Amino acid sequence: MSSTKSSGKVEDMEDMPESSPESLLQEVASPTADPIAEAITIMARLRAPDGCPWDREQTFDSIKRHTLEETYEVFDAIERRAWPDLRDELGDLLLQVLFYAQMASEAGYFTIRDVAENLNAKLIRRHPHIFAGAEATDSNAVLRNWEQIKQTEKKGSASTQTSMLDDIPSSMPALMEAGKLGSRAAKVGFDWPNPDGLFDKLHEEIGELKAELDPSSTARSSTASSTTAIEAELGDILFTAVNLARHLRVDPESALRATNTKFRRRFAAMESAAGNSAALAASTPISSKYYGIKRRTPPPNPQGHEHQSSDSHPHPVTYQPRTL
């Protein structure tokens, strides 16, 4: 494979001949063509000098927000058990990978082949119980091996880390970041031994938030503004809740998304019962109507169709994070 920076060609698959993007596109468009190779070539054509103006204008920074959007659309399709939609959304997510790799190839950073080779080597290296004769009797042993190998790899690289938390991106969604921070700290024993301690901690943090809300409380912070202190205490509650989810082996993101869907369904049922949103707003108290709908909520749909999210998530998640 070779790269031509002036033409914007991506590093194509080894079995694809060196030629213009137009001829490559014709060759891979046949029924027997490799669809992945075709996608790579299409992406290169879109970024070529005479390609799509919009695609040619994009940069790493302009594309990254689309990556996050596409990831959430994948989540949505999975939770709706909408498999045709998932197929399409995974294609959109793959497009993000191809886009980054094409731009990197043009800049001389790396190619799509480099990405795949790096992934293949990592998967083999991180699964010695499959490829190197090591033993791992259960998933917990696999996770321990995975983290040990990962730490060994980091020690062998030129790292500027001063903390074992440094490689957890602070730009990721806060809920996910909190889970990763708690999980990483737990590896050196900085953790509660069981969920009971977290329930106690949760009650403690709620008490501290209430104290900040009470103007007469002697426990109220005197060094920070009321708004700042309230935000800090609420953040402590959320961080503790995420750690509780980790101990319960529940993915907090999935749990919260299921609750969001449940709220949408119940609120829509209230609107339907009232006739319209205006009639609902005029009725009091709305909270009693909500809990009336809650009592009449049907059981979960075991088939997992579009409205499957329920009071108890029909597809419980055993949460055991494993990071690349």
Side-chain angles (χ1 to χ4, degrees):
M1 298 193 309
S2 65
S3 171
T4 305
K5 185 174 181 180
S6 60
S7 68
K9 285 203 306 185
V10 78
E11 293 281 326
D12 301 312
M13 306 303 284
E14 278 189 321
D15 57 349
M16 296 178 65
E18 295 288 345
S19 54
S20 68
E22 290 81 0
S23 62
L24 282 172
L25 190 57
Q26 291 176 354
E27 291 175 23
V28 299
S30 67
T32 59
D34 177 358
I36 298 296
E38 183 178 1
I40 293 171
T41 303
I42 291 172
M43 187 70 254
R45 179 66 183 86
L46 293 175
R47 290 276 299 179
D50 60 343
C52 171
W54 185 89
D55 288 283
R56 284 181 46 76
E57 290 175 357
Q58 301 313 303
T59 66
F60 289 100
D61 290 324
S62 69
I63 288 295
K64 63 185 181 183
R65 68 180 181 87
H66 297 293
T67 306
L68 188 59
E69 291 172 6
E70 298 299 349
T71 301
Y72 279 117
E73 288 176 6
V74 168
F75 289 172
D76 178 68
I78 292 173
E79 290 174 352
R80 291 185 290 111
R81 296 314 193 247
W83 307 125
D85 289 353
L86 179 60
R87 176 198 60 204
D88 292 342
E89 299 302 344
L90 287 174
D92 292 343
L93 193 58
L94 175 61
L95 172 61
Q96 304 301 303
V97 176
L98 298 180
F99 218 132
Y100 290 126
Q102 174 62 27
M103 290 188 291
S105 177
E106 293 165 7
Y109 300 147
F110 56 83
T111 69
I112 188 66
R113 182 185 180 92
D114 295 330
V115 172
E117 288 180 342
N118 185 67
L119 174 62
N120 293 343
K122 179 184 291 184
L123 290 174
I124 292 172
R125 196 168 59 244
R126 300 273 183 92
H127 291 83
H129 54 291
I130 301 297
F131 301 106
E135 290 190 7
T137 57
D138 55 31
S139 60
N140 288 328
V142 172
L143 289 174
R144 285 194 299 271
N145 288 343
W146 181 281
E147 290 300 329
Q148 288 173 0
I149 295 169
K150 182 177 177 180
Q151 292 305 314
T152 300
E153 291 169 352
K154 288 181 179 178
K155 290 178 181 178
S157 65
S159 175
T160 59
Q161 284 186 213
T162 58
S163 168
M164 63 183 296
L165 305 180
D166 283 351
D167 64 338
I168 298 176
S170 59
S171 58
M172 65 173 49
L175 203 63
M176 183 184 299
E177 182 187 5
K180 287 183 174 292
L181 290 172
S183 179
R184 185 69 61 81
K187 297 183 187 305
V188 293
F190 191 79
D191 196 12
W192 289 264
N194 55 57
D196 291 340
L198 278 156
F199 280 113
D200 293 339
K201 182 64 175 176
L202 197 55
H203 287 300
E204 174 189 325
E205 298 296 352
I206 291 173
E208 292 178 3
L209 175 59
K210 287 181 175 180
E212 290 297 338
L213 295 172
D214 182 1
S216 64
S217 173
T218 58
R220 192 177 184 190
S221 173
S222 59
T223 59
S225 69
S226 177
T227 301
T228 302
I230 289 170
E231 180 182 88
E233 296 300 345
L234 185 58
D236 290 345
I237 290 173
L238 294 173
F239 189 84
T240 303
V242 170
N243 277 282
L244 177 60
R246 175 172 56 82
H247 272 261
L248 299 178
R249 292 195 172 185
V250 172
D251 176 16
E253 175 71 19
S254 296
L256 183 56
R257 287 173 65 86
T259 295
N260 292 344
T261 302
K262 176 175 59 181
F263 182 84
R264 286 175 182 267
R265 187 180 66 254
R266 289 178 180 172
F267 195 87
M270 287 195 302
E271 289 178 307
S272 178
N276 55 54
S277 298
L280 177 62
S283 63
T284 54
I286 291 181
S287 60
S288 64
K289 294 181 179 294
Y290 180 87
Y291 289 107
I293 292 291
K294 176 180 179 179
R295 287 191 293 271
R296 298 194 298 273
T297 298
N301 181 349
Q303 299 303 316
H305 293 307
E306 181 172 355
H307 299 294
Q308 50 78 25
S309 293
S310 62
D311 298 348
S312 59
H313 201 293
H315 304 284
V317 178
T318 299
Y319 184 55
Q320 291 182 287
R322 185 179 74 173
T323 59
L324 292 174

